[in-house]
PDB file of all heavy atoms in Angstrom:
ATOM      1  N   ARG A   1      21.539  -6.369   0.420  1.00 95.00           N
ATOM      2  CA  ARG A   1      21.545  -4.903   0.602  1.00 95.00           C
ATOM      3  C   ARG A   1      21.675  -4.540   2.083  1.00 95.00           C
ATOM      4  O   ARG A   1      22.253  -3.512   2.418  1.00 95.00           O
ATOM      5  CB  ARG A   1      20.281  -4.280   0.010  1.00 95.00           C
ATOM      6  CG  ARG A   1      20.089  -4.533  -1.472  1.00 95.00           C
ATOM      7  CD  ARG A   1      21.039  -3.823  -2.351  1.00 95.00           C
ATOM      8  NE  ARG A   1      20.751  -2.404  -2.250  1.00 95.00           N
ATOM      9  CZ  ARG A   1      21.580  -1.463  -2.623  1.00 95.00           C
ATOM     10  NH1 ARG A   1      22.732  -1.776  -3.129  1.00 95.00           N
ATOM     11  NH2 ARG A   1      21.258  -0.212  -2.499  1.00 95.00           N
ATOM     12  N   GLN A   2      21.136  -5.386   2.981  1.00 96.00           N
ATOM     13  CA  GLN A   2      21.232  -5.123   4.415  1.00 96.00           C
ATOM     14  C   GLN A   2      22.656  -5.340   4.929  1.00 96.00           C
ATOM     15  O   GLN A   2      23.141  -4.573   5.753  1.00 96.00           O
ATOM     16  CB  GLN A   2      20.277  -6.044   5.194  1.00 96.00           C
ATOM     17  CG  GLN A   2      18.815  -5.769   4.927  1.00 96.00           C
ATOM     18  CD  GLN A   2      18.413  -4.375   5.378  1.00 96.00           C
ATOM     19  OE1 GLN A   2      18.705  -3.965   6.484  1.00 96.00           O
ATOM     20  NE2 GLN A   2      17.755  -3.640   4.500  1.00 96.00           N
ATOM     21  N   ILE A   3      23.332  -6.379   4.439  1.00 96.00           N
ATOM     22  CA  ILE A   3      24.665  -6.694   4.961  1.00 96.00           C
ATOM     23  C   ILE A   3      25.800  -6.037   4.182  1.00 96.00           C
ATOM     24  O   ILE A   3      26.889  -5.861   4.722  1.00 96.00           O
ATOM     25  CB  ILE A   3      24.898  -8.220   5.035  1.00 96.00           C
ATOM     26  CG1 ILE A   3      24.755  -8.876   3.659  1.00 96.00           C
ATOM     27  CG2 ILE A   3      23.964  -8.857   6.036  1.00 96.00           C
ATOM     28  CD1 ILE A   3      25.113 -10.338   3.631  1.00 96.00           C
ATOM     29  N   ALA A   4      25.543  -5.675   2.934  1.00 96.00           N
ATOM     30  CA  ALA A   4      26.581  -5.058   2.100  1.00 96.00           C
ATOM     31  C   ALA A   4      25.936  -4.014   1.196  1.00 96.00           C
ATOM     32  O   ALA A   4      25.794  -4.214  -0.007  1.00 96.00           O
ATOM     33  CB  ALA A   4      27.299  -6.126   1.277  1.00 96.00           C
ATOM     34  N   PRO A   5      25.545  -2.873   1.765  1.00 95.00           N
ATOM     35  CA  PRO A   5      24.792  -1.885   0.991  1.00 95.00           C
ATOM     36  C   PRO A   5      25.526  -1.316  -0.221  1.00 95.00           C
ATOM     37  O   PRO A   5      24.884  -0.866  -1.167  1.00 95.00           O
ATOM     38  CB  PRO A   5      24.470  -0.791   2.006  1.00 95.00           C
ATOM     39  CG  PRO A   5      25.269  -1.077   3.213  1.00 95.00           C
ATOM     40  CD  PRO A   5      25.734  -2.486   3.149  1.00 95.00           C
ATOM     41  N   SER A   6      26.839  -1.362  -0.234  1.00 95.00           N
ATOM     42  CA  SER A   6      27.553  -0.813  -1.388  1.00 95.00           C
ATOM     43  C   SER A   6      27.776  -1.846  -2.497  1.00 95.00           C
ATOM     44  O   SER A   6      28.237  -1.499  -3.582  1.00 95.00           O
ATOM     45  CB  SER A   6      28.883  -0.198  -0.957  1.00 95.00           C
ATOM     46  OG  SER A   6      29.707  -1.179  -0.380  1.00 95.00           O
ATOM     47  N   THR A   7      27.445  -3.098  -2.232  1.00 96.00           N
ATOM     48  CA  THR A   7      27.549  -4.122  -3.269  1.00 96.00           C
ATOM     49  C   THR A   7      26.496  -3.869  -4.332  1.00 96.00           C
ATOM     50  O   THR A   7      25.327  -3.661  -4.027  1.00 96.00           O
ATOM     51  CB  THR A   7      27.365  -5.533  -2.664  1.00 96.00           C
ATOM     52  OG1 THR A   7      28.457  -5.801  -1.788  1.00 96.00           O
ATOM     53  CG2 THR A   7      27.317  -6.599  -3.738  1.00 96.00           C
ATOM     54  N   LYS A   8      26.913  -3.894  -5.577  1.00 96.00           N
ATOM     55  CA  LYS A   8      25.992  -3.692  -6.690  1.00 96.00           C
ATOM     56  C   LYS A   8      25.379  -5.034  -7.072  1.00 96.00           C
ATOM     57  O   LYS A   8      26.072  -6.048  -7.122  1.00 96.00           O
ATOM     58  CB  LYS A   8      26.706  -3.062  -7.864  1.00 96.00           C
ATOM     59  CG  LYS A   8      27.159  -1.642  -7.564  1.00 96.00           C
ATOM     60  CD  LYS A   8      27.904  -1.044  -8.741  1.00 96.00           C
ATOM     61  CE  LYS A   8      28.210   0.410  -8.509  1.00 96.00           C
ATOM     62  NZ  LYS A   8      29.269   0.667  -7.572  1.00 96.00           N
ATOM     63  N   ILE A   9      24.091  -5.022  -7.338  1.00 96.00           N
ATOM     64  CA  ILE A   9      23.381  -6.241  -7.683  1.00 96.00           C
ATOM     65  C   ILE A   9      22.890  -6.152  -9.120  1.00 96.00           C
ATOM     66  O   ILE A   9      22.205  -5.199  -9.493  1.00 96.00           O
ATOM     67  CB  ILE A   9      22.198  -6.482  -6.723  1.00 96.00           C
ATOM     68  CG1 ILE A   9      22.742  -6.675  -5.305  1.00 96.00           C
ATOM     69  CG2 ILE A   9      21.363  -7.670  -7.179  1.00 96.00           C
ATOM     70  CD1 ILE A   9      21.698  -6.726  -4.234  1.00 96.00           C
ATOM     71  N   VAL A  10      23.264  -7.157  -9.899  1.00 95.00           N
ATOM     72  CA  VAL A  10      22.812  -7.266 -11.286  1.00 95.00           C
ATOM     73  C   VAL A  10      21.981  -8.536 -11.386  1.00 95.00           C
ATOM     74  O   VAL A  10      22.478  -9.633 -11.138  1.00 95.00           O
ATOM     75  CB  VAL A  10      23.997  -7.338 -12.270  1.00 95.00           C
ATOM     76  CG1 VAL A  10      23.498  -7.535 -13.700  1.00 95.00           C
ATOM     77  CG2 VAL A  10      24.864  -6.099 -12.161  1.00 95.00           C
ATOM     78  N   PHE A  11      20.712  -8.371 -11.700  1.00 93.00           N
ATOM     79  CA  PHE A  11      19.866  -9.536 -11.906  1.00 93.00           C
ATOM     80  C   PHE A  11      20.145 -10.084 -13.292  1.00 93.00           C
ATOM     81  O   PHE A  11      20.074  -9.362 -14.286  1.00 93.00           O
ATOM     82  CB  PHE A  11      18.384  -9.174 -11.758  1.00 93.00           C
ATOM     83  CG  PHE A  11      17.991  -8.926 -10.336  1.00 93.00           C
ATOM     84  CD1 PHE A  11      17.887  -7.635  -9.851  1.00 93.00           C
ATOM     85  CD2 PHE A  11      17.751  -9.977  -9.475  1.00 93.00           C
ATOM     86  CE1 PHE A  11      17.540  -7.391  -8.541  1.00 93.00           C
ATOM     87  CE2 PHE A  11      17.407  -9.751  -8.153  1.00 93.00           C
ATOM     88  CZ  PHE A  11      17.297  -8.456  -7.683  1.00 93.00           C
ATOM     89  N   LEU A  12      20.503 -11.357 -13.358  1.00 90.00           N
ATOM     90  CA  LEU A  12      20.788 -12.050 -14.611  1.00 90.00           C
ATOM     91  C   LEU A  12      19.824 -13.229 -14.662  1.00 90.00           C
ATOM     92  O   LEU A  12      19.988 -14.211 -13.940  1.00 90.00           O
ATOM     93  CB  LEU A  12      22.241 -12.523 -14.636  1.00 90.00           C
ATOM     94  CG  LEU A  12      22.728 -13.226 -15.887  1.00 90.00           C
ATOM     95  CD1 LEU A  12      22.616 -12.316 -17.099  1.00 90.00           C
ATOM     96  CD2 LEU A  12      24.166 -13.688 -15.716  1.00 90.00           C
ATOM     97  N   THR A  13      18.801 -13.116 -15.477  1.00 83.00           N
ATOM     98  CA  THR A  13      17.695 -14.071 -15.400  1.00 83.00           C
ATOM     99  C   THR A  13      17.089 -14.375 -16.758  1.00 83.00           C
ATOM    100  O   THR A  13      17.297 -13.619 -17.708  1.00 83.00           O
ATOM    101  CB  THR A  13      16.619 -13.514 -14.436  1.00 83.00           C
ATOM    102  OG1 THR A  13      15.578 -14.463 -14.300  1.00 83.00           O
ATOM    103  CG2 THR A  13      16.071 -12.196 -14.910  1.00 83.00           C
ATOM    104  N   VAL A  14      16.331 -15.454 -16.814  1.00 81.00           N
ATOM    105  CA  VAL A  14      15.633 -15.809 -18.058  1.00 81.00           C
ATOM    106  C   VAL A  14      14.433 -14.916 -18.290  1.00 81.00           C
ATOM    107  O   VAL A  14      13.929 -14.827 -19.396  1.00 81.00           O
ATOM    108  CB  VAL A  14      15.189 -17.294 -18.079  1.00 81.00           C
ATOM    109  CG1 VAL A  14      16.381 -18.213 -18.075  1.00 81.00           C
ATOM    110  CG2 VAL A  14      14.235 -17.605 -16.956  1.00 81.00           C
ATOM    111  N   HIS A  15      13.960 -14.242 -17.255  1.00 65.00           N
ATOM    112  CA  HIS A  15      12.780 -13.376 -17.386  1.00 65.00           C
ATOM    113  C   HIS A  15      13.112 -12.153 -18.246  1.00 65.00           C
ATOM    114  O   HIS A  15      14.122 -11.510 -18.039  1.00 65.00           O
ATOM    115  CB  HIS A  15      12.304 -12.891 -16.014  1.00 65.00           C
ATOM    116  CG  HIS A  15      11.865 -14.004 -15.127  1.00 65.00           C
ATOM    117  ND1 HIS A  15      10.683 -14.670 -15.307  1.00 65.00           N
ATOM    118  CD2 HIS A  15      12.461 -14.566 -14.058  1.00 65.00           C
ATOM    119  CE1 HIS A  15      10.568 -15.604 -14.384  1.00 65.00           C
ATOM    120  NE2 HIS A  15      11.631 -15.561 -13.607  1.00 65.00           N
ATOM    121  N   LYS A  16      12.221 -11.852 -19.174  1.00 65.00           N
ATOM    122  CA  LYS A  16      12.392 -10.662 -20.005  1.00 65.00           C
ATOM    123  C   LYS A  16      11.264  -9.668 -19.786  1.00 65.00           C
ATOM    124  O   LYS A  16      11.243  -8.614 -20.375  1.00 65.00           O
ATOM    125  CB  LYS A  16      12.439 -11.051 -21.488  1.00 65.00           C
ATOM    126  CG  LYS A  16      13.713 -11.741 -21.895  1.00 65.00           C
ATOM    127  CD  LYS A  16      13.714 -12.058 -23.355  1.00 65.00           C
ATOM    128  CE  LYS A  16      14.192 -10.884 -24.145  1.00 65.00           C
ATOM    129  NZ  LYS A  16      14.462 -11.174 -25.548  1.00 65.00           N
ATOM    130  N   SER A  17      10.350  -9.999 -18.912  1.00 62.00           N
ATOM    131  CA  SER A  17       9.176  -9.178 -18.681  1.00 62.00           C
ATOM    132  C   SER A  17       9.542  -7.801 -18.135  1.00 62.00           C
ATOM    133  O   SER A  17      10.325  -7.685 -17.195  1.00 62.00           O
ATOM    134  CB  SER A  17       8.256  -9.888 -17.681  1.00 62.00           C
ATOM    135  OG  SER A  17       7.341  -8.994 -17.115  1.00 62.00           O
ATOM    136  N   PRO A  18       8.976  -6.747 -18.703  1.00 62.00           N
ATOM    137  CA  PRO A  18       9.201  -5.403 -18.158  1.00 62.00           C
ATOM    138  C   PRO A  18       8.743  -5.290 -16.703  1.00 62.00           C
ATOM    139  O   PRO A  18       9.317  -4.544 -15.924  1.00 62.00           O
ATOM    140  CB  PRO A  18       8.385  -4.490 -19.067  1.00 62.00           C
ATOM    141  CG  PRO A  18       8.181  -5.264 -20.322  1.00 62.00           C
ATOM    142  CD  PRO A  18       8.178  -6.715 -19.927  1.00 62.00           C
ATOM    143  N   ASP A  19       7.710  -6.068 -16.337  1.00 64.00           N
ATOM    144  CA  ASP A  19       7.232  -6.036 -14.951  1.00 64.00           C
ATOM    145  C   ASP A  19       8.278  -6.591 -13.988  1.00 64.00           C
ATOM    146  O   ASP A  19       8.473  -6.055 -12.903  1.00 64.00           O
ATOM    147  CB  ASP A  19       5.927  -6.832 -14.813  1.00 64.00           C
ATOM    148  CG  ASP A  19       4.774  -6.173 -15.545  1.00 64.00           C
ATOM    149  OD1 ASP A  19       4.817  -4.938 -15.752  1.00 64.00           O
ATOM    150  OD2 ASP A  19       3.834  -6.885 -15.926  1.00 64.00           O
ATOM    151  N   ILE A  20       8.949  -7.669 -14.391  1.00 65.00           N
ATOM    152  CA  ILE A  20      10.007  -8.243 -13.548  1.00 65.00           C
ATOM    153  C   ILE A  20      11.172  -7.260 -13.449  1.00 65.00           C
ATOM    154  O   ILE A  20      11.709  -7.009 -12.376  1.00 65.00           O
ATOM    155  CB  ILE A  20      10.495  -9.598 -14.100  1.00 65.00           C
ATOM    156  CG1 ILE A  20       9.382 -10.628 -14.070  1.00 65.00           C
ATOM    157  CG2 ILE A  20      11.716 -10.084 -13.333  1.00 65.00           C
ATOM    158  CD1 ILE A  20       8.963 -11.097 -12.702  1.00 65.00           C
ATOM    159  N   ALA A  21      11.561  -6.677 -14.570  1.00 61.00           N
ATOM    160  CA  ALA A  21      12.660  -5.705 -14.566  1.00 61.00           C
ATOM    161  C   ALA A  21      12.315  -4.529 -13.650  1.00 61.00           C
ATOM    162  O   ALA A  21      13.164  -4.068 -12.870  1.00 61.00           O
ATOM    163  CB  ALA A  21      12.940  -5.213 -15.980  1.00 61.00           C
ATOM    164  N   LYS A  22      11.085  -4.070 -13.715  1.00 64.00           N
ATOM    165  CA  LYS A  22      10.652  -2.957 -12.869  1.00 64.00           C
ATOM    166  C   LYS A  22      10.683  -3.347 -11.393  1.00 64.00           C
ATOM    167  O   LYS A  22      11.122  -2.569 -10.539  1.00 64.00           O
ATOM    168  CB  LYS A  22       9.238  -2.532 -13.286  1.00 64.00           C
ATOM    169  CG  LYS A  22       8.730  -1.312 -12.587  1.00 64.00           C
ATOM    170  CD  LYS A  22       7.357  -0.945 -13.131  1.00 64.00           C
ATOM    171  CE  LYS A  22       6.789   0.254 -12.409  1.00 64.00           C
ATOM    172  NZ  LYS A  22       5.458   0.598 -12.897  1.00 64.00           N
ATOM    173  N   ALA A  23      10.243  -4.567 -11.077  1.00 64.00           N
ATOM    174  CA  ALA A  23      10.212  -5.034  -9.683  1.00 64.00           C
ATOM    175  C   ALA A  23      11.609  -5.151  -9.092  1.00 64.00           C
ATOM    176  O   ALA A  23      11.792  -4.972  -7.888  1.00 64.00           O
ATOM    177  CB  ALA A  23       9.490  -6.372  -9.604  1.00 64.00           C
ATOM    178  N   THR A  24      12.600  -5.418  -9.925  1.00 67.00           N
ATOM    179  CA  THR A  24      13.961  -5.587  -9.411  1.00 67.00           C
ATOM    180  C   THR A  24      14.669  -4.259  -9.165  1.00 67.00           C
ATOM    181  O   THR A  24      15.680  -4.223  -8.464  1.00 67.00           O
ATOM    182  CB  THR A  24      14.810  -6.432 -10.380  1.00 67.00           C
ATOM    183  OG1 THR A  24      14.915  -5.750 -11.633  1.00 67.00           O
ATOM    184  CG2 THR A  24      14.217  -7.809 -10.580  1.00 67.00           C
ATOM    185  N   ARG A  25      14.167  -3.174  -9.704  1.00 72.00           N
ATOM    186  CA  ARG A  25      14.834  -1.873  -9.567  1.00 72.00           C
ATOM    187  C   ARG A  25      14.940  -1.395  -8.125  1.00 72.00           C
ATOM    188  O   ARG A  25      15.834  -0.621  -7.788  1.00 72.00           O
ATOM    189  CB  ARG A  25      14.126  -0.818 -10.404  1.00 72.00           C
ATOM    190  CG  ARG A  25      14.424  -0.978 -11.860  1.00 72.00           C
ATOM    191  CD  ARG A  25      13.948   0.217 -12.681  1.00 72.00           C
ATOM    192  NE  ARG A  25      13.943  -0.169 -14.073  1.00 72.00           N
ATOM    193  CZ  ARG A  25      12.878  -0.233 -14.844  1.00 72.00           C
ATOM    194  NH1 ARG A  25      11.702   0.105 -14.369  1.00 72.00           N
ATOM    195  NH2 ARG A  25      12.973  -0.614 -16.091  1.00 72.00           N
TER     196      ARG A  25
END
């Protein structure tokens, strides 16, 4: 985000926890 602020980031992970999803927002 610091070097390419317009790049979109999609987390693709084994975690399904709502807490992890919330932390990545």
Side-chain angles (χ1 to χ4, degrees):
R1 301 290 293 163
Q2 294 297 311
I3 59 174
S6 61
T7 294
K8 293 178 173 74
I9 297 172
V10 177
F11 287 100
L12 182 61
T13 183
V14 295
H15 297 286
K16 288 182 85 169
S17 162
D19 293 335
I20 296 290
K22 186 177 178 181
T24 62
R25 285 191 195 117

